[in-house]
DNA sequence: GTACACTACATACC
DNA sequence: ACTGGTATGTAGTGTAC
C-alpha cells in the first residue's frame, strides 16, 4: 500500500516493551490516516581521549552486558557502535548505545559510571523529537509512504480497530514530496459558565464553529436561533459536544485560553456528571500535564490553545493592551466580541438568552477566524523548527530557538548538548552583565531628524565575531579575538562555530523571504520571513538564558559589549561628518540633517557600512520632520527611552510617553497625545496649551466621562504575595470580597474619589493613602479633581511644555485656583 | 505630622 | 523559570526630626 500523507499529530506507545510512533495525519484524498513507525533508540557516551582499541573493546563489552531490573520490563543495552563525532566543535570518539525503550535512557545513563567515559549525551531528548530528527518525518510536510495496511489485525495489540481513522499503515518506506499545500480542518469551541472557578458551576452552553458549521449546545432555554440546540440536561449536552467533535472530525480543536479554562472545566463537569469526555480518536479523555500552566492533550486531534501561541509569538508585535480575545481580535481581525453583560444564569431574563447564545457563538467565530489568520505562521513555525503543532503552540521562544538548533546540528555531525539540571542554580545566581548603550539626549524640539538602525544588530555581532559556547575560550589562543568584559576577558576562536553559522543562515533566510514577500506578497513567504526574524531576534537572549543547552553568558556579554563598541564608534563617525547625534538606544542612532540633502546622508551611510566588520550593517530607518525629547521628571537632564517623532508623511511615532502606557488613565493619555500631535504637526505649542487648559476646565467642571478616568494596572502575582499594597492590590482584594473573578494577569480597573473631610489637613491638602480612595468603576463617589489634575494630567504634559521654556505657571495657576476654590 | 530616602511594582524600549 | 539588559515613574513604607 502506498499513500501520500501529511503528519499532523505525533504520539507514542509501547508494544512489547518497545517504543512506537502513532502519527495522525491526512492523505491527499483527505482521509484521516494513522502511520505506525519506530526508530532506533539510543544515546551517546563520549569517550575520553587516547583510549586504545583494547580499552574501547573492553568498555563496549561492559556496556553491552548492562541489565537492569524494572517492574514493567527488562532493561538492557541492545548493542553499541563506535563513531567519530563532534561535540561542541571538537572531534570526539563516541559510543552509540542502543537500548530497547527510551524511558530507560536516564536509568542506563546513570549506570554508566566508567572511567573511560567522559560525558553522556542525548539521553534527555524526548522520543518524538528524536524520531523526527532520526526519520525526518517532519510535521506538515507531504510524504509518500509505503507499508502494510493494518486491517483489523491483531498487530500492535489491535491498535487499528481502536482508532477512529480511515486507515492505519505500518510504515516501511518514507519519501518526501515537494508539495507544501495544506489546509487543516479546524473546529473552534468555547463554553459559558456561571462560576469562574474550574468546575464550580454548571456549563450553560458550548459553541462550536467550523467551516460552514455553527452550533451552540445548551440545556437551558429554547431559542429562535437555528444554531442553538437544546438538550435535557448538562450531561446530555456534554455527550452531544463529544459526538459533534467526533462527527466533524477536525485536525485541530481550538480554544482561546482553553488550556487554562475550557478543557479543565469540561473535564470537571464530565466527572461530576459521570460521563466520559472521550474526545480522543481512541476514545480517551484529554490528558493534562502539569507545569506552571496546565496543558491538555487530546489523542489524535491537535488541541490548540491559540492564546498561548499569540502570547509567545505575536504579543511583542501587537499594539493591544491586553491579550483578551476581544483586544486581539479587534487588532488582527478588525472584529469584536458580542456584547453581553455577565450575570448569573438565574438572573437572566427569558428574552435575554438569545443574546447570550449569540455572544457564546461569536467567541468561537473569533477563535476560528484568528486560527485561520494565524495558520500560515503556525504551519511555517512547525515546519521550520521541526516540532509538532501541539508543541509549537505552547513552547517558549527559547525552546523554539533550541529546537531549531537541534534540527540543524546533523550537518555538523554534532552530538547534542544536555539540558542543564544541576547547573541551573549556579547560572541563575551569576551576576548580570552590562547590556546596551543608551545615549543621554538633550531635551528639545528638533527638526529634520534621521534615524539609522543596525539590522539584526545582536545577531550580526554574534555571526561576525563567532560568539558562542563552542567557540568561547577562557584564555588566549593563537587565533582568538579578545573581548573585554568589565575587567574579565573572554576569547573566541576564529574557526566558525555551528551556532554563529546557523544564525547566519537564519539571518540570510530572513532576508531572502522578506525580499520574496515584497515581490509576491504571499502568506507563505510572509510567515517564513516572520519566523526567521523571530528566531534571529531571540538567539542573543538564548545564549544568556540559564535554561539553554547552549548557554554561554560570556558570549552574550561579549555580544552586548561589541554592540556597544560599534554603536559608539558609529556615533563618533557621524559626528565627525558634521551631523549632531541627538539620541541612540541599543541599535539605533538619530542625527540632525539640518538643511543638508538626503543624498549626503545616504552617502554617509554607505561610507559607514564599508567600514563595518562581518555582516554588520547600518540601515536607514526613516527621515523625520520633527521630534521632541523631554526632561526626566526627577532631574534636569533628558529622559531616555521617551521621545515622539513625526515623519514626512505625517505619521507619529511615540515611544515611552504616558500616551503609550496603559497604566495611565485615558484622559491623561489622550491629552498628552493631542499635545504631542499639535506640537509635532505644526511646531506650535500655543494650540496645545489651549487644548490642555480646556481639559483642565472640563475636569474642574466635572464634565469628564468617568470611563476616561479609569486607571488600569495588571495584577502580576497572587494578592498575598505583595509586600506593598498599591491601589490596584486594594482593588483586587475588594473584588475578591465581592465574589468577582480575580486572577493573576488580570487588569485591575479603578478611579480615585474625593477625600472625606477627615482625610484633609487644616490647609486643605489631602493626607493619607491613595489606595483608600481607589474605587471600582461602578462604585459610588465623585472623582477627585485634585488627583486627576496633579497626578494624571499635569505630569503628562508638564515636561513637554517645559521644552519651550513655556511658563507652565498658566497651567499651574489653574491648579492653584482650583485648590483655593476647593478650600 | 511631615519630609525624605528608599523600596516595590508596573510598564516601556530595544 | 521558560530569551537579555536599560530605563522611567508612581505609590507605599519606614524613619528621622
Amino acid at each position: 500500500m502506498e499513500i501520500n500523507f501529511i503528519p499532523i499529530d505525533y504520539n507514542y506507545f509501547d508494544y512489547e516493551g518497545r517504543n512506537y510512533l502513532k502519527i495522525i495525519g491526512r492523505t491527499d484524498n483527505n482521509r484521516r490516516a494513522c502511520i505506525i513507525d519506530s526508530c532506533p533508540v539510543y544515546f551517546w557516551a563520549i569517550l575520553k581521549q587516547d583510549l586504545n582499541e583494547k580499552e574501547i573493546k573492553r568498555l563496549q563489552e561492559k556496556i553491552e552486558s548492562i541489565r537492569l531490573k524494572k517492574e514493567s520490563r527488562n532493561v538492557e543495552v541492545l548493542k553499541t557502535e563506535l563513531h567519530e563525532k563532534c561535540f561542541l566543535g571538537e572531534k570526539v570518539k563516541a559510543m552509540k548505545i542502543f537500548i530497547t525503550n527510551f524511558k530507560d535512557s536516564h536509568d542506563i545513563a546513570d549506570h554508566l559510571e566508567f572511567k573511560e567515559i567522559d560525558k553522556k549525551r542525548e539521553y534527555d531528548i524526548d522520543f518524538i523529537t528524536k524520531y523526527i530528527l532520526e526519520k525526518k518525518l517532519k510535521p506538515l510536510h507531504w510524504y509518500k509512504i509505503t507499508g502494510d495496511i493494518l486491517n483489523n489485525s491483531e498487530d500492535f495489540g489491535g491498535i487499528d480497530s481502536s482508532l477512529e481513522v480511515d486507515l492505519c499503515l505500518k510504515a516501511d518506506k518514507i519519501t518526501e514530496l515537494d508539495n507544501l499545500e495544506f489546509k487543516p480542518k479546524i473546529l473552534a469551541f468555547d463554553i459559558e459558565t456561571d462560576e469562574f472557578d474550574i468546575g464550580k458551576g454548571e456549563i450553560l452552553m458550548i459553541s462550536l464553529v467550523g467551516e460552514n458549521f455553527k452550533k451552540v449546545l445548551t440545556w437551558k432555554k429554547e431559542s429562535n436561533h437555528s444554531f442553538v440546540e437544546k438538550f435535557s440536561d448538562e450531561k446530555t449536552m456534554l455527550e452531544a459536544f463529544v459526538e459533534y467533535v467526533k462527527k466533524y472530525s477536525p485536525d485541530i480543536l481550538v480554544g482561546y485560553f482553553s488550556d487554562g479554562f475550557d478543557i479543565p472545566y469540561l473535564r470537571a463537569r464530565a466527572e461530576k456528571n459521570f460521563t466520559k469526555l472521550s474526545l480522543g480518536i481512541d476514545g480517551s479523555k484529554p490528558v493534562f500535564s502539569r507545569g506552571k500552566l496546565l496543558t491538555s492533550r487530546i489523542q489524535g486531534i491537535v488541541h490548540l490553545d491559540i492564546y498561548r501561541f499569540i502570547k509567545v509569538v505575536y504579543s511583542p508585535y501587537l499594539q493591544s493592551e491586553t491579550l483578551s480575545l476581544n483586544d486581539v481580535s479587534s487588532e488582527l481581525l478588525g472584529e469584536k466580541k458580542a456584547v453581553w453583560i455577565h450575570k448569573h444564569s438565574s438572573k437572566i431574563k427569558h428574552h435575554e438568552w438569545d443574546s447570550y447564545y449569540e455572544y457564546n457563538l461569536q467567541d468561537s467565530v473569533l477563535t476560528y477566524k484568528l486560527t485561520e489568520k494565524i495558520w500560515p505562521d503556525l504551519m511555517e513555525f512547525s515546519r521550520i523548527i521541526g516540532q509538532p503543532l501541539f508543541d509549537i503552540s505552547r513552547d517558549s521562544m527559547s525552546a523554539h530557538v533550541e529546537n531549531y538548533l537541534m534540527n540543524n546540528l546533523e550537518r555538523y555531525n554534532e552530538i547534542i548538548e544536555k539540558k542543564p539540571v544541576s547547573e541551573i542554580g549556579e547560572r541563575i545566581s551569576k551576576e548580570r552583565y552590562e547590556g546596551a548603550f543608551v545615549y543621554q539626549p538633550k531635551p528639545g524640539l528638533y527638526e529634520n531628524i534621521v534615524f539609522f538602525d543596525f539590522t539584526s544588530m545582536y545577531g550580526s555581532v554574534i555571526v561576525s565575531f563567532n560568539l558562542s559556547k563552542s567557540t568561547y575560550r577562557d584564555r588566549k589562543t593563537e587565533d582568538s579575538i579578545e573581548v573585554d568584559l568589565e575587567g574579565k576577558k573572554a576569547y573566541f576562536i576564529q574557526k566558525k562555530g555551528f551556532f554563529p553559522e546557523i544564525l547566519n543562515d537564519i539571518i540570510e533566510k530572513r532576508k531572502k523571504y522578506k525580499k520574496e514577500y515584497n515581490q509576491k506578497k504571499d502568506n507563505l513567504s510572509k510567515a517564513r520571513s516572520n519566523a526567521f526574524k523571530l528566531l534571529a531576534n531571540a538567539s542573543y537572549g538564548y545564549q544568556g538564558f540559564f535554561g539553554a543547552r547552549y548557554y554561554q553568558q560570556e558570549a552574550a556579554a561579549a555580544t552586548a559589549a561589541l554592540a556597544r563598541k560599534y554603536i559608539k564608534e558609529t556615533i563618533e563617525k557621524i559626528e565627525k561628518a558634521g551631523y549632531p547625534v541627538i539620541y541612540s538606544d541599543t541599535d539605533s542612532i538619530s542625527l540632525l540633517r539640518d538643511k543638508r540633502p538626503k543624498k549626503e546622508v545616504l552617502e554617509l551611510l554607505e561610507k559607514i557600512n564599508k567600514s563595518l566588520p562581518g555582516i554588520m550593517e547600518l540601515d536607514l530607518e526613516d527621515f523625520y520632520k520633527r521630534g521632541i525629547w523631554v526632561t526626566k521628571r526627577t532631574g534636569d537632564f533628558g529622559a531616555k527611552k521617551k521621545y515622539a517623532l513625526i515623519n514626512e508623511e505625517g505619521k507619529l511615532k511615540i515611544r515611552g510617553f504616558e500616551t503609550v502606557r496603559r497604566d495611565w488613565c485615558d484622559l491623561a493619555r489622550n491629552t498628552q497625545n493631542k499635545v504631542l500631535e499639535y506640537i509635532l504637526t505644526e511646531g506650535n505649542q500655543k494650540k496645545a496649551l489651549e487644548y490642555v487648559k480646556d481639559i483642565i476646565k472640563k475636569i474642574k467642571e466635572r464634565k469628564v466621562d468617568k470611563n476616561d478616568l479609569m486607571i488600569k494596572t495588571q495584577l502580576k502575582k497572587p494578592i498575598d504575595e505583595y509586600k506593598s499594597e498599591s491601589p490596584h492590590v486594594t482593588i483586587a482584594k475588594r473584588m475578591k470580597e465581592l465574589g468577582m473573578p480575580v486572577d493573576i494577569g488580570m487588569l485591575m480597573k479603578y478611579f480615585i474619589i474625593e477625600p472625606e473631610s477627615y482625610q484633609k489637613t487644616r490647609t486643605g491638602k489631602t493626607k493619607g493613602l491613595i489606595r483608600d480612595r481607589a474605587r471600582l468603576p461602578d462604585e459610588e463617589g465623585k472623582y477627585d479633581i485634585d488627583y486627576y489634575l496633579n497626578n494624571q494630567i499635569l505630569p503628562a504634559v508638564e515636561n513637554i511644555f517645559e521644552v519651550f521654556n513655556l511658563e507652565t505657571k498658566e497651567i499651574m495657576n489653574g491648579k492653584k485656583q482650583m485648590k483655593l476654590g476647593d478650600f
Side-chain angles (χ1 to χ4, degrees):
Chain A
M1 176 88 182
E2 182 182 287
I3 58 167
N4 288 344
F5 176 80
I6 188 165
I8 303 170
D9 189 47
Y10 293 66
N11 289 283
Y12 61 77
F13 63 99
D14 279 14
Y15 181 63
E16 293 177 344
R18 300 287 186 107
N19 310 121
Y20 291 91
L21 261 292
K22 187 163 67 175
I23 305 155
I24 309 297
R26 292 272 170 191
T27 65
D28 52 358
N29 50 11
N30 208 25
R31 299 211 290 165
R32 177 181 258 164
C34 171
I35 302 294
I36 308 288
D37 197 13
S38 61
C39 75
V41 180
Y42 66 88
F43 64 94
W44 293 98
I46 299 170
L47 306 183
K48 285 199 179 133
Q49 285 183 3
D50 309 326
L51 291 184
N52 62 38
E53 262 180 55
K54 216 171 138 195
E55 287 168 313
I56 291 174
K57 196 94 198 139
R58 213 166 46 220
L59 174 69
Q60 210 155 6
E61 279 162 16
K62 277 192 278 185
I63 293 175
E64 284 179 3
S65 67
I66 288 180
R67 301 279 180 279
L68 301 177
K69 268 190 196 135
K70 249 190 169 181
E71 274 177 38
S72 51
R73 58 180 171 267
N74 290 328
V75 176
E76 57 180 57
V77 173
L78 291 173
K79 61 167 179 174
T80 59
E81 288 172 5
L82 189 66
H83 288 258
E84 299 284 338
K85 295 286 289 180
C86 287
F87 183 64
L88 298 177
E90 304 285 341
K91 281 193 176 139
V92 292
K93 275 198 172 62
M95 195 89 80
K96 194 171 186 177
I97 301 169
F98 292 85
I99 58 174
T100 44
N101 194 306
F102 86 97
K103 285 175 211 143
D104 303 326
S105 318
H106 272 102
D107 288 341
I108 297 181
D110 286 348
H111 266 82
L112 295 181
E113 293 293 338
F114 302 115
K115 61 177 192 318
E116 296 90 340
I117 295 175
D118 184 24
K119 296 182 179 79
K120 292 160 274 187
R121 291 296 184 270
E122 297 197 13
Y123 53 82
D124 61 356
I125 300 171
D126 86 298
F127 186 55
I128 290 173
T129 304
K130 205 60 190 266
Y131 170 84
I132 295 172
L133 292 176
E134 225 23 56
K135 287 299 216 40
K136 311 205 166 32
L137 190 78
K138 294 170 282 182
L140 303 171
H141 285 76
W142 283 99
Y143 295 92
K144 184 189 289 294
I145 298 181
T146 21
D148 295 331
I149 198 147
L150 304 179
N151 202 352
N152 290 321
S153 76
E154 289 302 308
D155 292 359
F156 303 106
I159 191 168
D160 164 55
S161 33
S162 70
L163 292 180
E164 277 186 46
V165 290
D166 299 319
L167 68 138
C168 202
L169 197 75
K170 164 97 176 65
D172 185 28
K173 197 167 159 248
I174 299 172
T175 329
E176 190 172 349
L177 304 170
D178 49 15
N179 178 19
L180 280 176
E181 258 161 63
F182 177 62
K183 195 170 169 246
K185 223 170 156 184
I186 301 168
L187 185 63
F189 78 110
D190 180 59
I191 65 169
E192 299 302 330
T193 62
D194 272 334
E195 302 288 336
F196 289 91
D197 291 345
I198 303 295
K200 202 175 163 201
E202 294 156 332
I203 296 178
L204 307 171
M205 59 188 91
I206 307 169
S207 60
L208 285 165
V209 170
E211 198 178 2
N212 299 319
F213 181 76
K214 283 182 181 176
K215 277 266 171 221
V216 170
L217 318 178
T218 185
W219 56 287
K220 284 293 173 184
K221 284 278 179 298
E222 298 286 354
S223 165
N224 296 321
H225 289 309
S226 56
F227 58 77
V228 176
E229 195 171 335
K230 186 178 169 283
F231 298 89
S232 55
D233 51 25
E234 192 185 20
K235 183 179 181 177
T236 340
M237 177 189 70
L238 291 171
E239 285 163 354
F241 167 68
V242 173
E243 276 315 302
Y244 269 120
V245 173
K246 278 203 174 129
K247 222 161 88 188
Y248 192 86
S249 181
D251 299 309
I252 295 170
L253 183 67
V254 57
Y256 201 87
F257 202 59
S258 46
D259 265 342
F261 187 73
D262 303 65
I263 295 279
Y265 218 115
L266 282 162
R267 171 177 68 165
R269 295 311 297 177
E271 275 169 17
K272 201 134 199 164
N273 281 291
F274 302 105
T275 180
K276 193 177 168 190
L277 202 66
S278 45
L279 290 165
I281 60 163
D282 58 351
S284 63
K285 51 188 184 181
V287 178
F288 292 81
S289 57
R290 273 178 304 169
K292 207 182 168 197
L293 274 166
L294 219 52
T295 295
S296 63
R297 186 189 278 276
I298 299 170
Q299 277 282 320
I301 298 174
V302 184
H303 167 226
L304 277 191
D305 180 348
I306 199 71
Y307 160 81
R308 292 185 66 170
F309 185 69
I310 288 173
K311 193 173 164 187
V312 171
V313 171
Y314 273 71
S315 67
Y317 303 91
L318 289 179
Q319 302 293 307
S320 313
E321 272 172 24
T322 75
L323 292 180
S324 66
L325 179 59
N326 195 47
D327 279 7
V328 172
S329 309
S330 13
E331 183 170 349
L332 294 178
L333 306 170
E335 208 174 323
K336 295 197 167 201
K337 275 166 76 112
V339 178
W340 171 255
I341 297 148
H342 270 283
K343 47 180 133 181
H344 196 272
S345 58
S346 59
K347 286 178 184 150
I348 299 172
K349 295 193 185 90
H350 215 93
H351 66 275
E352 290 174 326
W353 278 95
D354 270 356
S355 27
Y356 203 2
Y357 296 139
E358 287 160 26
Y359 170 85
N360 180 223
L361 185 72
Q362 174 68 357
D363 274 10
S364 285
V365 168
L366 293 177
T367 304
Y368 181 82
K369 287 185 178 173
L370 273 178
T371 311
E372 267 194 320
K373 168 115 189 174
I374 285 171
W375 174 248
D377 285 316
L378 264 168
M379 180 160 67
E380 282 314 304
F381 251 81
S382 181
R383 283 172 172 166
I384 290 166
I385 290 161
Q387 285 291 106
L389 271 182
F390 183 86
D391 305 84
I392 284 296
S393 66
R394 290 171 176 82
D395 279 349
S396 63
M397 211 55 219
S398 64
H400 289 322
V401 172
E402 192 154 283
N403 287 325
Y404 182 83
L405 283 174
M406 281 163 57
N407 226 342
N408 283 277
L409 283 179
E410 202 191 314
R411 57 188 149 115
Y412 299 94
N413 196 27
E414 270 279 327
I415 291 175
I416 297 168
E417 177 59 297
K418 72 179 181 75
K419 272 191 209 157
V421 183
S422 54
E423 298 85 344
I424 285 193
E426 172 198 330
R427 288 184 186 181
I428 289 177
S429 61
K430 251 192 167 177
E431 231 175 283
R432 304 214 315 181
Y433 59 88
E434 189 182 340
F437 166 71
V438 189
Y439 189 97
Q440 177 79 66
K442 265 197 206 66
L445 184 75
Y446 299 94
E447 308 237 326
N448 290 328
I449 301 159
V450 189
F451 257 72
F452 288 161
D453 61 11
F454 282 91
T455 34
S456 303
M457 190 185 217
Y458 283 159
S460 69
V461 169
I462 292 170
V463 172
S464 304
F465 295 95
N466 208 25
L467 311 176
S468 70
K469 174 162 184 164
S470 77
T471 51
Y472 166 73
R473 298 291 182 272
D474 59 3
R475 63 201 65 187
K476 201 177 171 72
T477 70
E478 240 174 79
D479 65 341
S480 61
I481 65 139
E482 183 183 294
V483 185
D484 194 45
L485 306 174
E486 291 175 281
K488 218 184 113 192
K489 288 189 169 32
Y491 303 89
F492 297 89
I493 57 165
Q494 297 276 318
K495 191 187 161 222
K496 277 284 169 207
F498 60 84
F499 189 98
E501 251 183 45
I502 291 171
L503 181 53
N504 188 33
D505 197 43
I506 291 174
I507 293 172
E508 274 178 11
K509 281 186 169 136
R510 150 78 171 154
K511 279 187 195 154
K512 179 185 155 198
Y513 291 117
K514 193 180 172 184
K515 206 171 146 193
E516 197 176 291
Y517 173 68
N518 285 334
Q519 285 163 0
K520 294 202 292 191
K521 296 281 171 202
D522 62 320
N523 282 340
L524 187 78
S525 32
K526 186 183 176 186
R528 282 184 174 167
S529 145
N530 192 36
F532 284 113
K533 175 175 124 190
L534 290 166
L535 286 175
N537 287 347
S539 294
Y540 152 72
Y542 173 82
Q543 296 204 96
F545 167 51
F546 62 81
R549 287 177 194 259
Y550 293 102
Y551 169 83
Q552 191 68 54
Q553 205 205 39
E554 290 84 353
T559 309
L562 288 165
R564 285 195 303 273
K565 177 180 169 213
Y566 281 95
I567 199 135
K568 284 179 187 167
E569 279 182 18
T570 307
I571 289 172
E572 269 179 42
K573 276 180 199 158
I574 293 171
E575 290 196 314
K576 260 200 189 123
Y579 297 90
V581 166
I582 53 172
Y583 187 60
S584 165
D585 185 348
T586 314
D587 59 356
S588 75
I589 302 172
S590 54
L591 48 126
L592 296 182
R593 171 164 74 90
D594 197 17
K595 294 209 166 57
R596 293 165 76 167
K598 289 179 186 172
K599 201 171 142 254
E600 275 180 33
V601 174
L602 296 175
E603 280 163 10
L604 171 66
L605 189 62
E606 210 174 306
K607 201 176 136 204
I608 291 170
N609 270 321
K610 278 190 186 130
S611 70
L612 287 170
I615 65 162
M616 287 184 75
E617 195 185 345
L618 192 65
D619 196 13
L620 172 76
E621 197 255 343
D622 207 354
F623 289 106
Y624 294 91
K625 203 162 66 185
R626 215 167 269 131
I628 188 170
W629 273 260
V630 299
T631 320
K632 198 171 176 284
R633 199 185 307 290
T634 52
D636 52 1
F637 48 94
K640 297 172 177 181
K641 299 186 186 286
K642 254 182 124 170
Y643 58 90
L645 304 162
I646 188 163
N647 73 4
E648 298 183 334
E649 285 77 50
K651 200 167 168 249
L652 291 182
K653 177 176 167 183
I654 300 178
R655 294 288 119 102
F657 274 111
E658 283 76 1
T659 301
V660 298
R661 294 184 62 94
R662 70 167 178 205
D663 55 352
W664 283 71
C665 74
D666 285 353
L667 183 72
R669 297 174 67 184
N670 295 336
T671 307
Q672 188 190 56
N673 197 0
K674 268 272 187 271
V675 166
L676 289 171
E677 206 181 314
Y678 277 130
I679 288 170
L680 291 175
T681 46
E682 300 166 28
N684 180 354
Q685 70 279 14
K686 290 261 157 56
K687 259 189 173 165
L689 189 60
E690 287 309 310
Y691 182 81
V692 172
K693 280 201 213 157
D694 190 47
I695 294 288
I696 291 173
K697 194 164 158 252
K698 277 200 176 118
I699 294 175
K700 288 188 189 168
E701 291 170 357
R702 296 200 172 280
K703 283 182 180 161
V704 178
D705 182 355
K706 206 169 149 187
N707 286 322
D708 289 335
L709 300 176
M710 295 303 153
I711 295 160
K712 288 162 283 181
T713 314
Q714 193 183 27
L715 196 70
K716 308 266 275 190
K717 52 186 180 187
I719 294 173
D720 49 4
E721 276 177 29
Y722 279 91
K723 285 180 197 156
S724 86
E725 188 177 332
S726 33
H728 78 290
V729 179
T730 310
I731 288 297
K733 282 183 178 171
R734 182 129 77 245
M735 284 172 69
K736 212 163 184 187
E737 274 165 28
L738 291 169
M740 298 163 82
V742 178
D743 241 321
I744 300 170
M746 274 174 60
L747 271 193
M748 299 295 119
K749 222 167 138 182
Y750 61 91
F751 72 111
I752 305 300
I753 61 155
E754 281 185 322
E756 304 279 345
S757 52
Y758 69 85
Q759 288 172 313
K760 287 190 167 191
T761 63
R762 265 162 279 140
T763 50
K765 267 173 95 181
T766 303
K767 55 180 183 179
L769 300 168
I770 288 165
R771 64 161 179 249
D772 294 330
R773 295 187 284 123
R775 293 291 181 274
L776 290 169
D778 52 4
E779 278 185 308
E780 279 182 26
K782 284 184 174 172
Y783 70 75
D784 185 18
I785 294 171
D786 198 21
Y787 176 84
Y788 282 98
L789 286 180
N790 296 321
N791 297 33
Q792 293 279 327
I793 298 299
L794 289 171
V797 298
E798 229 164 21
N799 25 24
I800 297 176
F801 288 118
E802 204 186 290
V803 165
F804 301 92
N805 275 328
L806 198 123
E807 288 296 322
T808 37
K809 260 183 201 152
E810 266 191 276
I811 320 171
M812 294 298 187
N813 267 342
K815 196 163 125 190
K816 264 182 206 154
Q817 274 167 19
M818 189 278 305
K819 266 185 194 158
L820 289 170
D822 216 43
F823 189 65

